[in-house]
Amino acid sequence: MAVRAVRGAVQLERDEAGHMDERVGELLTAVLERNELVADDLISIWFTATPDLRSDFPAAAARGLGIVDVPLICAQELDIHGAMPRVVRILVHVETYLARAEISHVYLGATATLRKDIAQ
């Protein structure tokens, strides 16, 4: 078994807590499903949000999915001129038997353009 990192992102249509919870929950669920992971495989999750997202902590979505004993942290993305707005990014550390090349990074919707090199 190895420790691997899984990347992902999702863009929100609006800055509302319920909407953030829904979209980030969708992203986390996709990461788990596409990589055949369960909560016990998670080591930690790092969330970042663009500066225009202020309604809630993205990590709250993980708690809503029952991920309650995994270390989570939130941070703000750099405020880069011209960057895609209303984006939550994740970096998930996991224990898995998947090889690095088998990891499925999940970029939902428009965020697939952020990392064309690894977006699935």
Side-chain angles (χ1 to χ4, degrees):
M1 186 164 298
V3 173
R4 302 281 184 221
V6 185
R7 288 290 317 270
V10 65
Q11 184 179 40
L12 280 63
E13 286 77 36
R14 59 194 175 279
D15 184 22
E16 295 176 2
H19 180 61
M20 180 181 291
D21 190 57
E22 176 184 319
R23 296 294 284 150
V24 174
E26 179 184 350
L27 175 61
L28 290 170
T29 299
V31 164
L32 293 174
E33 289 176 355
R34 292 183 193 182
N35 291 287
E36 299 178 5
L37 299 167
V38 296
D40 281 347
D41 298 325
L42 302 176
I43 297 169
S44 65
I45 306 174
W46 184 288
F47 297 84
T48 65
T50 51
D52 52 2
L53 294 175
R54 297 179 184 93
S55 62
D56 202 0
F57 294 99
R63 301 293 181 224
L65 292 175
I67 301 171
V68 296
D69 61 350
V70 174
L72 309 175
I73 192 166
C74 297
Q76 187 177 80
E77 278 290 328
L78 294 173
D79 192 8
I80 303 298
H81 179 71
M84 185 180 290
R86 301 176 317 280
V87 174
V88 174
R89 292 171 174 85
I90 60 172
L91 176 63
V92 184
H93 298 99
V94 301
E95 291 181 315
T96 181
Y97 288 107
L98 294 176
R100 183 176 288 130
E102 297 173 307
I103 294 293
S104 180
H105 303 281
V106 180
Y107 288 79
L108 300 178
T111 64
T113 63
L114 296 173
R115 289 300 306 266
K116 292 180 183 178
D117 58 325
I118 63 172
Q120 304 286 316

